[in-house]
């Protein structure tokens, strides 16, 4: 893959709060926003398709002259702000700098200026004999994107998460060792709320891997670690939240112990449920649902690809064991989804306890084609369309997935392709 | 480079792309793809982990999560290999276990020293980036934010931690200046590279310490050189 191809690799996917807009960020620092077309009575079957709405360059590669380092332009995360007026706003971040973008629409243009003509050139004043009021005339829709704030110099280490507070005024950004709280209107100052950097870097044994604000309680947030623990923190308790309010940790299963136990327990993503009652975490082999009221262990554990447990050595060798998969809730918190290898993604129904494996590929993405469930066989009886573990393509990883906040529409990023799947018919998933 | 004698493509290390995956491991004929029994895997796993650690540390900006996980895994492997009895059955003469012990001990010390000094370097690097830090320090009272104080940022520039800035040594900085005035031994150890050998561990800790008179002198020199060029702007 040449450098130009790598720039197209999608690095994050995020629906806005209504699901009308879907933003993707890529390795080349670009953001592409898709908009859902309104339902049309004339063509009910083409309702709700997503088309490109706007594309802009969010981040450029930077060179830190002090440290002689290149700062990647790759967009690590995008988070939408709740819409407060006609404009849409989102935060996008690379490893070091967060930016607030405002997206506005212009579909009218004033015509009939007194002092300038249609092309904007100044009129010869002697030709102006009467005064007219400029009139707003419709024009082709123009989407304008402008950077409103740049939040720089807040992070020494690589930013892995951003999360907007339910108060809609503040947000947090987390890197490997610290979490900062920002006010959306203030760029020259941030408050450090978590700092796990040891006095002596030789003592470093754990890093922050993800963090998120509680959807309803503006004082609560959670952060996950490379050792598989979750810490729920209350900002009312102290200015510096190094002491957690709750620590969620599952004791190691002695029967499954290996040299890789810690690596596979490292949490790669944490998401609060829409209800705010649960948290969803993804580690290398499982997704887990945690009840905020129970710290001792998760209430549910789902195996994503347990057949990899016997391959951990190879996966360590080729670094796949360090892949960071995301996870997502559906709108009603009844189904959870996460990606896997071979362009497979998995869905788990919490109520029926049924799960399904689907594939994001060109064959399956013909319009209105129904996705066929896939199966990975681990030896023993093999059905016709099964894939064997050894044939899995580990370069095709689905790391980034998103679920529409209300409907059964999912966005799957498969390397440099975006797949949007919609559930038109009530399937057996719920 | 790897124990099985297969070479990884060299250019993988030049790229800053952390996700580059060399496809050799997909070859089903390759022995490493198949599952190896844990007991035999230990020593090759140890070698592999050391290799990963060095590769990670050689990045201009190591992925901390990857680094920490590899280091912790390496510690686990080391711990399991420590007793001579736990060593994998190696087809070698009886004297081998004690030799292996010494190798482990020395590689352990070398490893610790490398890890220690390189993690120390990371905090030096952080000391540099603290210089343009905004008013975040006003947050929690009484807490020092980050490593070195901003005023030492410039001094760290000439310290041993940032060999990348001093590729041609301190001499490069003063090329167009008559250096006979301030040729002194103070500067000699400061031009070490970013990647220390195992023996650099203890030496590194002493090098950055300068007393006040030397700091003042240093500041004068910097002010003098900066007068020759445009003064640095703030931050980005």
């Amino acid at each position: 893959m040449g450098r130009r191809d790598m720039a197209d690799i999608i690095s994050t996917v995020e629906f806005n709060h209504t699901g009308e807009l879907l933003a993707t960020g890529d390795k080349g620092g670009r953001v592409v926003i898709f908009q859902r077309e309104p339902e049309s009575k004339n063509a009910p079957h083409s309702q709700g398709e997503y088309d490109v709405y706007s594309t802009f360059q969010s981040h450029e590669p930077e060179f830190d002259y002090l440290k002689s380092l290149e700062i990647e332009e790759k967009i690590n995360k995008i988070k939408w702000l709740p819409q407060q007026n006609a404009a849409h706003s989102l935060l996008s971040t690379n490893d070091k700098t967060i930016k607030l973008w405002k997206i506005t629409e212009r579909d009218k243009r004033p015509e009939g200026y007194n002092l300038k003509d249609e092309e904007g050139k100044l009129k010869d004043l002697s030709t102006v004999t009467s005064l007219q009021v400029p009139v707003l005339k419709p024009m082709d829709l123009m989407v304008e994107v402008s950077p409103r704030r740049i939040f720089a110099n807040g992070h020494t280490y690589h930013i892995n998460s951003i999360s907007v507070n339910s108060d809609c005024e503040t947000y947090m950004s987390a890197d490997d060792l610290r979490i900062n709280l920002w006010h959306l209107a203030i760029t020259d100052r941030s408050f450090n709320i978590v700092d796990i950097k040891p006095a002596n870097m030789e003592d470093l044994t754990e890093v922050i891997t993800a963090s998120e604000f509680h959807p309803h309680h503006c004082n609560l947030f959670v952060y996950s670690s490379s050792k598989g623990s979750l810490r729920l923190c209350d900002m009312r308790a102290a200015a510096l939240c190094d002491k957690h309010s709750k620590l969620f940790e599952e004791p190691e299963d002695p029967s499954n112990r290996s040299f890789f136990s810690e690596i596979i327990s490292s949490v790669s993503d944490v998401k609060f449920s829409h209800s705010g009652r649960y948290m969803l975490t993804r580690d290398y082999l499982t997704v887990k649902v945690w009840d905020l009221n129970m710290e001792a262990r998760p209430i549910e554990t789902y195996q994503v690809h347990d057949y990899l447990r016997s391959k951990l050595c190879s996966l360590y060798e080729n670094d796949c064991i360090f892949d960071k998969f995301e996870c997502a809730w559906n709108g009603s918190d009844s189904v959870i989804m996460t990606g896997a290898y071979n362009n497979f993604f998995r869905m788990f129904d919490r109520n029926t306890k049924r799960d399904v494996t689907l594939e994001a590929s060109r064959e399956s993405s013909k319009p209105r084609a129904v996705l066929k469930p896939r199966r990975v066989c681990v030896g023993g009886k093999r059905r016709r369309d099964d894939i064997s573990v050894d044939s899995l393509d580990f370069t095709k990883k689905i790391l980034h997935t998103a679920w529409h906040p209300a409907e059964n529409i999912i966005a799957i990023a498969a390397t440099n392709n975006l797949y949007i799947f919609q559930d038109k018919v009530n399937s057996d998933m719920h | 480079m790897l124990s099985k004698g297969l070479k990884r493509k060299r250019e993988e290390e030049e790229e800053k792309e952390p996700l580059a995956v060399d496809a050799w491991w997909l070859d089903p004929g390759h022995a490493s793809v198949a599952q190896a029994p844990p007991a035999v895997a230990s020593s090759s796993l140890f070698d592999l982990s050391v290799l990963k650690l060095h590769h990670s540390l050689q990045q201009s900006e190591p992925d901390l999560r990857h680094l920490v996980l590899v280091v912790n895994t390496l510690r686990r492997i080391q711990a399991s290999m420590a007793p001579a009895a736990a060593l994998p059955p190696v087809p070698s003469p009886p004297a081998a276990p004690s030799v292996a012990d010494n190798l482990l001990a020395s590689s352990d010390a070398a490893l610790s020293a490398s890890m220690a000094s390189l993690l120390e370097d990371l905090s030096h690097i952080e000391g540099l980036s603290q210089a343009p830090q905004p008013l975040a320090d006003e947050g929690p009272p009484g807490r020092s934010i980050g490593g070195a104080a901003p005023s030492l940022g410039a001094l760290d520039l000439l310290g041993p931690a940032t060999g990348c800035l001093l590729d041609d040594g301190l001499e490069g900085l003063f090329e167009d200046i008559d250096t006979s005035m301030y040729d002194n031994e103070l500067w000699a150890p400061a031009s070490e590279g970013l990647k220390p050998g195992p023996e650099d561990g203890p030496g590194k800790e002493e090098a950055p310490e300068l007393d006040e008179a030397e700091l003042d002198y240093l500041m004068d020199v910097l002010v003098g050189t900066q007068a020759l060029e445009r003064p640095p702007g703030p931050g980005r």
Side-chain angles (χ1 to χ4, degrees), chain A residues 175-319:
Chain A
D175 66 32
D176 295 310
L177 298 179
R178 298 193 177 106
I179 302 180
N180 293 335
L181 182 71
W182 304 81
H183 192 286
L184 283 164
I186 299 170
T187 59
D188 63 353
R189 196 180 327 156
S190 71
F191 291 97
N192 178 244
I193 54 177
V194 173
D195 188 338
I196 64 167
K197 180 174 185 272
N200 205 339
M201 278 294 267
E202 296 169 30
D203 300 331
L204 181 66
T205 57
E206 195 172 9
V207 297
I208 297 168
T209 52
S211 74
E212 196 181 51
F213 267 121
H214 192 278
H216 310 308
H217 302 300
C218 57
N219 55 303
L220 290 181
F221 66 93
V222 69
Y223 71 91
S224 60
S225 85
S226 54
K227 286 196 171 176
S229 63
L230 300 171
R231 284 172 175 80
L232 187 71
C233 301
D234 187 340
M235 294 196 294
R236 290 175 309 192
L240 184 64
C241 302
D242 279 357
K243 270 193 173 163
H244 48 265
S245 295
K246 292 193 181 183
L247 171 65
F248 299 80
E249 213 169 22
E250 185 173 28
E252 205 180 329
D253 177 4
S255 63
N256 264 336
R257 276 195 79 173
S258 76
F259 291 119
F260 311 109
S261 293
E262 182 178 321
I263 301 180
I264 63 170
S265 75
S266 174
V267 172
S268 52
D269 194 16
V270 63
K271 294 263 169 50
F272 278 104
S273 63
H274 292 91
S275 64
R277 233 197 101 178
Y278 305 104
M279 295 182 296
L280 180 66
T281 58
R282 174 69 153 99
D283 50 60
Y284 192 61
L285 297 177
T286 70
V287 278
K288 293 175 174 155
V289 178
W290 302 77
D291 186 321
L292 284 186
N293 297 318
M294 189 162 83
E295 299 166 67
R297 74 189 73 80
I299 56 168
E300 294 155 32
T301 300
Y302 301 94
Q303 301 296 330
V304 179
H305 37 206
D306 201 52
Y307 45 78
L308 296 183
R309 198 176 287 274
S310 57
K311 313 275 179 197
L312 292 179
C313 196
S314 312
L315 294 163
Y316 177 67
E317 204 166 0
N318 60 38
D319 272 349

